[in-house]
Amino acid sequence: MILPFVPDNDPDIIGQWLLKAIGNVVAVHLLQVPGTEKFFFMERPSGRHPDGSTSIAGYYDYQTNKFKNIGYTDSVFCAGHTVTQDGHVLVVGGHIAKSGYGDGLKAVRVFSRKTLSFHRIANMTYPRWYPTATLLPSGMVTIMGGTVLPGAGTGKNPIYEIWDPANPTQLMRRNQSAAMVARTNDIYYPNTYVLPTGHLLLSCNRYGEIMDPMAAKVITAMPSWMAVAKGVFTEYPFTGTSAMLSLKPENNYTPEVVYFGGQFSYGWINTTASRAALRIKIHWDEAAGNYTFGGES
């Protein structure tokens, strides 16, 4: 079989990089604003800002190819974020008061896709540094994890909070499972995925579970698949990551999650990164009311 010749520089085959513009900031946090071609970004004031400012938030407009800083007053570095059901950006937690910006550890904020403004709307009960925000099918958002101050060992949160757009200034509180608290060291940026059942897959470091976020009930603890990558933590400075694969009708929309990397000790230790990868298939047994797992590494 003779394959067609493909030039090494064919962008239709290999893709291409284009320099569109020089950004205002190094976008530590960046996400597309739903329904628009604008990208909301956040940074720390002490970062390397190409425009020389100390602004910490703004947006990039792909159509006009321009960046715009927007005024904001508390620290969003190390925050968590998600989009809301009506297409705004919700930003939770952050950093201590620093470099002229106020304490953002308890903050709940919204960047409006309509007015392109960013403002604080509520306070959480608990301060959170490295939390994860997850949009639920109901439109509510879970806020999980994070330590009460910057840095490993400063105290993890045994409580998670739920933001309801119908009552945006008051958050509900739920207990994180005892196993999640006991077995995860610091609950930094826990990996969360909403499953087709509406349950939440929640994992961090060497422990994972599938739970009902509104009832704060563990449905099924994930098996000791972490033993495949024994001793691997998904925590700074060699932070592992994960992704849910697309749900497809040909496999009955069975969810699969892939985990990549991590490290062999945690936080501020001279160690090496892991090259481990693990793919987990998640099966719901409606009759038994629990989950089973398959996977490969």
Side-chain angles (χ1 to χ4, degrees), residues 35-278:
T36 76
E37 291 196 17
K38 295 179 174 65
F39 295 81
F40 178 63
F41 59 75
M42 294 176 286
E43 166 62 306
R44 54 183 173 174
S46 58
R48 295 173 180 262
H49 297 212
D51 69 351
S53 76
T54 57
S55 297
I56 58 171
Y59 61 89
Y60 166 67
D61 188 320
Y62 184 83
Q63 285 296 322
T64 63
N65 196 29
K66 292 182 178 179
F67 288 82
K68 181 175 178 60
N69 293 329
I70 54 178
Y72 194 64
T73 57
D74 67 56
S75 186
V76 293
F77 183 50
C78 304
H81 41 76
T82 188
V83 296
T84 65
Q85 200 169 56
D86 53 359
H88 305 300
V89 178
L90 189 75
V91 180
V92 299
H95 204 58
I96 58 174
K98 196 171 184 179
S99 302
Y101 286 86
D103 190 323
L105 287 167
K106 290 186 177 181
V108 178
R109 321 162 185 87
V110 168
F111 175 73
S112 170
R113 68 182 179 88
K114 295 180 179 179
T115 64
L116 301 178
S117 61
F118 190 37
H119 54 281
R120 189 166 180 161
I121 61 169
N123 291 317
M124 297 180 288
T125 304
Y126 295 89
R128 296 181 188 273
W129 191 76
Y130 283 28
T132 295
T134 307
L135 177 64
L136 302 178
S138 65
M140 297 184 188
V141 173
T142 59
I143 305 166
M144 295 182 167
T147 47
V148 300
L149 287 170
T154 58
K156 54 190 163 183
N157 286 287
I159 304 294
Y160 65 94
E161 301 182 54
I162 301 172
W163 179 79
D164 183 353
N167 188 17
T169 63
Q170 301 295 320
L171 280 75
M172 296 174 277
R173 289 177 287 173
R174 299 285 190 274
N175 290 325
Q176 209 81 70
S177 75
M180 177 61 66
V181 174
R183 298 175 61 184
T184 52
N185 294 86
D186 301 301
I187 310 176
Y188 281 152
Y189 286 139
N191 294 186
T192 57
Y193 297 99
V194 177
L195 302 178
T197 56
H199 295 145
L200 191 67
L201 186 153
L202 169 64
S203 65
C204 185
N205 293 335
R206 297 179 294 181
Y207 175 76
E209 65 190 26
I210 296 175
M211 51 92 72
D212 181 332
M214 297 307 298
K217 176 185 177 182
V218 176
I219 309 298
T220 308
M222 296 176 72
S224 56
W225 55 268
M226 289 286 191
V228 175
K230 186 177 180 181
V232 172
F233 290 80
T234 52
E235 184 172 309
Y236 180 87
F238 297 119
T239 307
T241 191
S242 65
M244 178 182 279
L245 303 182
S246 56
L247 299 168
K248 297 180 180 179
E250 51 264 36
N251 69 348
N252 199 29
Y253 301 102
T254 300
E256 292 184 80
V257 177
V258 185
Y259 290 84
F260 304 93
Q263 60 183 326
F264 292 102
S265 58
Y266 90 102
W268 310 105
I269 294 174
N270 185 14
T271 185
T272 55
S274 168
R275 63 180 182 181
L278 188 68

Side-chain angles (χ1 to χ4, degrees), residues 199 219-220 284-291:
H199 295 145
I219 309 298
T220 308
W284 168 243
D285 186 332
E286 188 169 1
N290 62 18
Y291 291 87

